[in-house]
mmCIF file of all heavy atoms in Angstrom:
data_model
loop_
_atom_site.group_PDB
_atom_site.id
_atom_site.type_symbol
_atom_site.label_atom_id
_atom_site.label_comp_id
_atom_site.label_asym_id
_atom_site.label_seq_id
_atom_site.Cartn_x
_atom_site.Cartn_y
_atom_site.Cartn_z
ATOM 1 N N GLN A 601 11.402 13.704 16.397
ATOM 2 C CA GLN A 601 11.884 12.361 16.431
ATOM 3 C C GLN A 601 11.566 11.795 17.837
ATOM 4 O O GLN A 601 11.577 12.535 18.891
ATOM 5 C CB GLN A 601 13.410 12.431 16.322
ATOM 6 C CG GLN A 601 13.896 12.574 14.838
ATOM 7 C CD GLN A 601 13.387 11.468 13.926
ATOM 8 O OE1 GLN A 601 13.466 10.385 14.326
ATOM 9 N NE2 GLN A 601 12.824 11.865 12.761
ATOM 10 N N ILE A 602 11.224 10.590 17.860
ATOM 11 C CA ILE A 602 10.945 9.829 19.120
ATOM 12 C C ILE A 602 12.335 9.351 19.685
ATOM 13 O O ILE A 602 13.145 8.825 18.858
ATOM 14 C CB ILE A 602 9.951 8.670 18.870
ATOM 15 C CG1 ILE A 602 8.650 9.202 18.329
ATOM 16 C CG2 ILE A 602 9.814 7.876 20.197
ATOM 17 C CD1 ILE A 602 7.720 8.127 17.848
ATOM 18 N N LEU A 603 12.499 9.409 20.968
ATOM 19 C CA LEU A 603 13.713 8.952 21.652
ATOM 20 C C LEU A 603 13.989 7.573 21.271
ATOM 21 O O LEU A 603 13.137 6.726 21.463
ATOM 22 C CB LEU A 603 13.713 9.240 23.069
ATOM 23 C CG LEU A 603 14.966 8.838 23.946
ATOM 24 C CD1 LEU A 603 16.105 9.687 23.471
ATOM 25 C CD2 LEU A 603 14.723 8.905 25.452
ATOM 26 N N GLY A 604 15.180 7.281 20.650
ATOM 27 C CA GLY A 604 15.482 5.802 20.349
ATOM 28 C C GLY A 604 14.885 5.408 19.029
ATOM 29 O O GLY A 604 15.132 4.308 18.675
ATOM 30 N N HIS A 605 14.156 6.204 18.277
ATOM 31 C CA HIS A 605 13.625 5.803 17.048
ATOM 32 C C HIS A 605 14.583 5.457 16.061
ATOM 33 O O HIS A 605 14.303 4.579 15.264
ATOM 34 C CB HIS A 605 12.666 6.987 16.554
ATOM 35 C CG HIS A 605 11.921 6.597 15.323
ATOM 36 N ND1 HIS A 605 12.295 6.995 14.082
ATOM 37 C CD2 HIS A 605 10.766 5.869 15.281
ATOM 38 C CE1 HIS A 605 11.476 6.504 13.204
ATOM 39 N NE2 HIS A 605 10.536 5.797 13.823
ATOM 40 N N ASP A 606 15.718 6.145 16.075
ATOM 41 C CA ASP A 606 16.743 5.863 15.029
ATOM 42 C C ASP A 606 17.270 4.506 15.279
ATOM 43 O O ASP A 606 17.805 3.873 14.309
ATOM 44 C CB ASP A 606 17.880 6.846 15.059
ATOM 45 C CG ASP A 606 18.529 7.025 16.403
ATOM 46 O OD1 ASP A 606 17.881 6.623 17.425
ATOM 47 O OD2 ASP A 606 19.708 7.558 16.461
ATOM 48 N N LYS A 607 17.118 3.932 16.366
ATOM 49 C CA LYS A 607 17.617 2.501 16.599
ATOM 50 C C LYS A 607 16.726 1.464 16.006
ATOM 51 O O LYS A 607 17.167 0.359 15.737
ATOM 52 C CB LYS A 607 17.929 2.216 18.098
ATOM 53 C CG LYS A 607 19.008 3.144 18.710
ATOM 54 C CD LYS A 607 19.074 2.921 20.162
ATOM 55 C CE LYS A 607 20.148 3.831 20.643
ATOM 56 N NZ LYS A 607 20.193 3.806 22.083
ATOM 57 N N ILE A 608 15.418 1.741 15.821
ATOM 58 C CA ILE A 608 14.503 0.853 15.335
ATOM 59 C C ILE A 608 14.005 1.063 13.932
ATOM 60 O O ILE A 608 13.186 0.393 13.411
ATOM 61 C CB ILE A 608 13.284 0.723 16.283
ATOM 62 C CG1 ILE A 608 12.545 2.019 16.389
ATOM 63 C CG2 ILE A 608 13.618 0.159 17.644
ATOM 64 C CD1 ILE A 608 11.244 1.985 17.094
ATOM 65 N N HIS A 609 14.562 2.123 13.335
ATOM 66 C CA HIS A 609 14.176 2.542 11.970
ATOM 67 C C HIS A 609 14.657 1.497 11.131
ATOM 68 O O HIS A 609 15.822 1.156 10.982
ATOM 69 C CB HIS A 609 14.804 3.967 11.696
ATOM 70 C CG HIS A 609 14.291 4.407 10.287
ATOM 71 N ND1 HIS A 609 13.027 4.785 10.190
ATOM 72 C CD2 HIS A 609 14.917 4.572 9.133
ATOM 73 C CE1 HIS A 609 12.875 5.318 8.923
ATOM 74 N NE2 HIS A 609 14.020 5.055 8.286
ATOM 75 N N LYS A 610 13.802 0.921 10.269
ATOM 76 C CA LYS A 610 14.081 -0.153 9.378
ATOM 77 C C LYS A 610 14.591 0.302 8.051
ATOM 78 O O LYS A 610 14.160 1.423 7.564
ATOM 79 C CB LYS A 610 12.970 -1.027 9.207
ATOM 80 C CG LYS A 610 12.303 -1.683 10.511
ATOM 81 C CD LYS A 610 11.978 -3.013 10.394
ATOM 82 C CE LYS A 610 11.263 -3.558 11.586
ATOM 83 N NZ LYS A 610 11.802 -3.443 12.811
ATOM 84 N N THR A 611 15.466 -0.344 7.502
ATOM 85 C CA THR A 611 15.941 -0.043 6.130
ATOM 86 C C THR A 611 16.003 -1.323 5.264
ATOM 87 O O THR A 611 15.966 -2.431 5.810
ATOM 88 C CB THR A 611 17.386 0.521 6.143
ATOM 89 O OG1 THR A 611 18.279 -0.425 6.688
ATOM 90 C CG2 THR A 611 17.423 1.830 6.897
ATOM 91 N N ILE A 612 15.911 -1.144 3.912
ATOM 92 C CA ILE A 612 16.072 -2.213 3.060
ATOM 93 C C ILE A 612 17.165 -1.822 2.069
ATOM 94 O O ILE A 612 17.363 -0.576 1.845
ATOM 95 C CB ILE A 612 14.734 -2.656 2.376
ATOM 96 C CG1 ILE A 612 14.171 -1.458 1.581
ATOM 97 C CG2 ILE A 612 13.750 -3.186 3.328
ATOM 98 C CD1 ILE A 612 12.945 -1.890 0.743
ATOM 99 N N SER A 613 17.860 -2.725 1.541
ATOM 100 C CA SER A 613 18.960 -2.470 0.606
ATOM 101 C C SER A 613 18.403 -1.772 -0.636
ATOM 102 O O SER A 613 17.266 -1.969 -0.993
ATOM 103 C CB SER A 613 19.689 -3.751 0.302
ATOM 104 O OG SER A 613 18.922 -4.547 -0.478
ATOM 105 N N ASP A 614 19.317 -1.101 -1.291
ATOM 106 C CA ASP A 614 18.993 -0.444 -2.631
ATOM 107 C C ASP A 614 18.435 -1.410 -3.630
ATOM 108 O O ASP A 614 17.517 -1.138 -4.338
ATOM 109 C CB ASP A 614 20.152 0.371 -3.167
ATOM 110 C CG ASP A 614 20.458 1.632 -2.413
ATOM 111 O OD1 ASP A 614 19.541 2.051 -1.622
ATOM 112 O OD2 ASP A 614 21.607 2.092 -2.509
ATOM 113 N N SER A 615 19.110 -2.581 -3.706
ATOM 114 C CA SER A 615 18.642 -3.614 -4.580
ATOM 115 C C SER A 615 17.309 -4.167 -4.296
ATOM 116 O O SER A 615 16.487 -4.347 -5.183
ATOM 117 C CB SER A 615 19.663 -4.728 -4.757
ATOM 118 O OG SER A 615 19.833 -5.361 -3.523
ATOM 119 N N ASP A 616 16.995 -4.337 -3.035
ATOM 120 C CA ASP A 616 15.682 -4.844 -2.592
ATOM 121 C C ASP A 616 14.620 -3.808 -2.825
ATOM 122 O O ASP A 616 13.504 -4.036 -3.336
ATOM 123 C CB ASP A 616 15.631 -5.186 -1.134
ATOM 124 C CG ASP A 616 16.327 -6.505 -0.806
ATOM 125 O OD1 ASP A 616 16.547 -7.297 -1.900
ATOM 126 O OD2 ASP A 616 16.628 -6.847 0.329
#
Side-chain angles (χ1 to χ4, degrees):
Q601 289 294 318
I602 299 170
L603 182 62
H605 184 262
D606 56 340
K607 294 177 183 173
I608 59 170
H609 188 71
K610 306 225 187 300
T611 59
I612 58 176
S613 68
D614 288 341
S615 62
D616 285 344

